[in-house]
Amino acid sequence: MNFSPLDWFVLVATLLCIILYGIYKSRSSKNVEGYFLSNRQMPWWVVMLSIMGTQASAVTFLTAPGQAYTDGMRFVQYYFGLPLAMIVVCVAFVPIFRRLKVYTAYEYLEQRFDIKTRMITSLLFMLSRSLSTGISIIAPALVLHSMLGWDITITNIFMGGLLLIYTTSGGARAVAYTQQLQFVIIYAAMFAAAWWAIHLLPDGIGVAEALHIGGKSGKMNVITTGFTDQGFDWKDRFNIWSGLIGGFFLTLSYFGTDQSQVGRYLTARSEGESKLGLLLNGVVKVPLQFGILLIGIFIFSFYQFHKTPAYFNLAEERNAKSGKYAKLYNEAEQQYHVLQEQKATAITGLAAALKAEDQAGIDKYRQELDLHEKAARHQRDSVKSIIKLANPGSEGNDTNYIFLRFVGDTLPNGLVGLIIAIIFLAAWGSIAPALNSLASCTMMDFHKRLSPQPMTPLIEYKWSKRYTVIWGIVCIIMAQFAYNLGNSLIEAVNILGSLFYGPILGIFLVAFWVKRVGGHAVFFAAALAEVVVLTVYFMKIVSFLWLNVIGAVAVILLSLMIQPFCKRATVAASAAPAEVPAK
């Protein structure tokens, strides 16, 4: 990748602007309400952008175009349950959290159940969020290490340190205001990349033709049912049913019980503005995600007319070409390029036939394209096999590198630096509120709740900043640990939340709507439900989205089954005669 001085200037200038803007906007009161909730004075549009910025991580922008390139548009079904979840959050969660003026979502659980339920739920959140945050830190660093050769440890510490500057100094206010600027820069740069991919298509090939090429290659599969000849495939990750049902439970838990999101809409000036920010996020998120995936389709169409890398991970490609498998790799790469040229000829003929409305030509070139596509896919599998031979530790999956390889190989100087900058901005946009939420749970659910001595607002504020720094260091260490375990953890961030979100959501659903269940029953039900979720996951019975449904439903059913035994134990204890002290 050619990284010019102009790219360095754009990268550094963009990141510095974000940091300085965050510090400038971070004039919050020196108390926990100002630090964690920005004194509950954020307007709805800042709340909406903050919610969206928290939800979108660097992994999203790096992998979504590559996901569409390899697997088509069906990933968008992952978000189909989100609009309905926003309505439920607005109706059931927001009014309670706002009325009780909680700092964390888990404060409510102590009032409804007991302190152990509050703490175990907060602990589950902190475990899942810290692991996810560590992976979110390493994800862009891994790619930049691969593409630019940056040292992974220095990248983690330096970029994590810059993030901590405005997150620690400004708290929720700095996070919210920097996220709105990050949002604008990120989406402007992403759509600039999409325009560039379309601009580089041959004369006579426009948006309509690019979409037709993608559709003919099976990439425009926006709606899939998940049904096969053997019935419904429960292991199919992305279909309309897993998206509507599993996605609904996932996003309901994420927005309703995850403090990194709850903390965003609790900063709003009123209950109405909290709801407006959430509802608009539900309306805007799906089309925006559709647009990000569509970039992958345009990149796919671009590579049908230009030389396509046989493997998109540049570091792995260089390793294969320099080792003992170099000759084997070069031969496989050359064969792949021959097939790509044949496919490009068929696509050019198809585009001409479409313009001329020549049905016979359309049918002919579609058949040719199908044959060339299957041959090219088979040859790519051969290339991946050689990559694994050259590096047995390789995951053999270059999906995460497709977008960045396109950026480095084709975009003009300056725009490359901006795209690299948005990788960091997207990472910061999701990591900063995560650190803020981890610190708030540590401070409010544990430190302040268990402290024997009352604290002044200033002391609470200082401890809150300390916890933000501590969690930042912990997550940077986790990121380095994640790197040492291997690249496959980039994909784990999409699954990790589903291992915990179901039981956490189940606790809140019982709290809201199953009034006869008490703290002991829901505590043991949540523990058992977590065991059920982990068992189902490791046995690979269903795809990860269904884990959220299983976890939530298991907590509800198990708590109803356990509650009668808890009542008996309570009655037995109260009926037992008091022990007579010895004389």
Side-chain angles (χ1 to χ4, degrees), residues 498-500 502-503 524-543 546-559 561-562:
S498 295
L499 299 179
F500 299 93
F524 290 113
L528 290 173
E530 189 61 49
V531 173
V532 171
V533 168
L534 293 174
T535 301
V536 171
Y537 170 70
F538 285 113
M539 291 182 67
K540 299 180 180 180
I541 298 173
V542 297
S543 68
W546 295 107
L547 298 177
N548 300 277
V549 184
I550 292 170
V553 173
V555 171
I556 296 171
L557 296 178
L558 288 170
S559 64
M561 293 168 61
I562 295 171

Side-chain angles (χ1 to χ4, degrees), residues 74 129 160 173 336 347 383 401 486 535 559:
R74 70 192 188 110
R129 181 51 52 202
R173 187 176 181 87
Y336 179 73
I347 289 172
V383 170
Y401 302 88
T535 301
S559 64

Side-chain angles (χ1 to χ4, degrees), residues 425-471:
L425 295 184
W428 287 0
S430 60
I431 295 167
L435 298 181
N436 185 265
S437 63
L438 287 166
S440 67
C441 288
T442 307
M443 183 65 204
M444 307 308 297
D445 294 329
F446 289 89
H447 187 137
K448 189 176 178 180
R449 179 63 182 80
L450 301 177
S451 176
Q453 299 295 330
M455 292 179 286
T456 65
L458 183 59
I459 292 176
E460 291 178 355
Y461 170 74
K462 288 181 177 179
W463 269 108
S464 300
K465 295 182 73 170
R466 290 169 189 161
Y467 284 130
T468 304
V469 173
I470 290 170
W471 276 113

